[in-house]
Amino acid sequence: MDIWGEKVEKIADAITEWMIEKHIICREDKKIYITGICQFISIILDFLGIVLIGIVFDELVRIIFFSILFMYLQRYAGSYHAKTRIGCYCGSMDIVIVNSVCFRYGTFPIVILMGLLIISVILQLEQRKRDTKRGKEENLRYPEAFPFQRNR
C-alpha cells in the first residue's frame, strides 16, 4: 500500500475506533466501516481537488457538471485502476485538468487528442490484462464489505 493509502486508512481506523468506543458500531463490523470511511475520504478529496481546479481555471460550474457526468459514466463503463490511491487520484485530476484547459482555451490540436486517445487505449488494455490475471475481487481491500457488488 502506498503512503497515501496508509494515511487515509489510519484516519479511517481512528474514526472507526472512536465509533466503537462510543458504542455507535460493533467491533465485528470494523472492516466494513474502515472501507466505507476510506471511500468517503477519497470522495471528499476528489471533490476538493475538482473544486480547486475549477476555481484555478475559473470554470467551477462546468468542471463540477463534467465531473458528475464523468463519475457516473465511470461507474458503469469502467475505468483504469492505478496500483496506488495517489496514482488514481492524480489520474482523475489529470482528466479534470485536461478538460478544464479545453473549456478555458478551446480545443486541443488533433495531434494531442490522438495522443491522449492512444494513451487511454493502452491503459485500458493494460488494465484488462491485470484484471484477467487476477480476479476482480483482489482489487477490493475488503471484499466481504461489498457482498452485492456487480461484476463488471
Side-chain angles (χ1 to χ4, degrees):
M1 179 182 293
D2 61 307
I3 206 97
W4 176 282
E6 289 174 11
K7 297 281 185 198
V8 169
E9 199 160 314
K10 273 186 180 179
I11 293 168
D13 188 52
I15 292 170
T16 306
E17 280 298 327
W18 177 82
M19 291 170 69
I20 290 169
E21 287 173 11
K22 298 293 181 185
H23 304 289
I24 298 170
I25 62 170
C26 300
R27 185 162 296 280
E28 299 83 44
D29 297 334
K30 182 177 179 176
K31 284 185 179 181
I32 295 170
Y33 280 93
I34 288 175
T35 302
I37 292 169
C38 284
Q39 289 300 318
F40 180 73
I41 291 170
S42 294
I43 290 168
I44 294 297
L45 291 174
D46 282 345
F47 180 74
L48 291 175
I50 289 165
V51 168
L52 181 65
I53 291 167
I55 291 170
V56 167
F57 284 96
D58 197 27
E59 295 287 344
L60 184 60
V61 174
R62 285 186 191 176
I63 292 304
I64 289 175
F65 183 70
F66 163 78
S67 297
I68 290 168
L69 293 175
F70 182 72
M71 287 177 198
Y72 183 77
L73 177 66
Q74 262 186 322
R75 181 179 185 116
Y76 293 102
S79 63
Y80 171 74
H81 298 286
K83 293 179 183 176
T84 62
R85 286 183 183 166
I86 189 74
C88 182
Y89 181 79
C90 289
S92 297
M93 293 305 110
D94 287 347
I95 290 168
V96 173
I97 289 170
V98 166
N99 222 294
S100 299
V101 170
C102 286
F103 283 146
R104 184 80 174 151
Y105 302 108
T107 59
F108 276 124
I110 192 72
V111 174
I112 294 174
L113 291 175
M114 291 305 292
L116 291 172
L117 176 65
I118 290 168
I119 289 170
S120 69
V121 167
I122 290 169
L123 291 174
Q124 282 294 328
L125 291 173
E126 191 62 34
Q127 182 63 38
R128 283 186 191 211
K129 278 189 225 172
R130 272 193 269 153
D131 284 349
T132 54
K133 267 187 196 170
R134 60 176 195 243
K136 278 284 208 182
E137 292 74 32
E138 284 190 28
N139 288 337
L140 296 172
R141 185 146 177 86
Y142 301 110
E144 68 273 8
F146 302 99
F148 303 111
Q149 182 165 355
R150 287 184 325 134
N151 290 329
R152 291 184 210 162

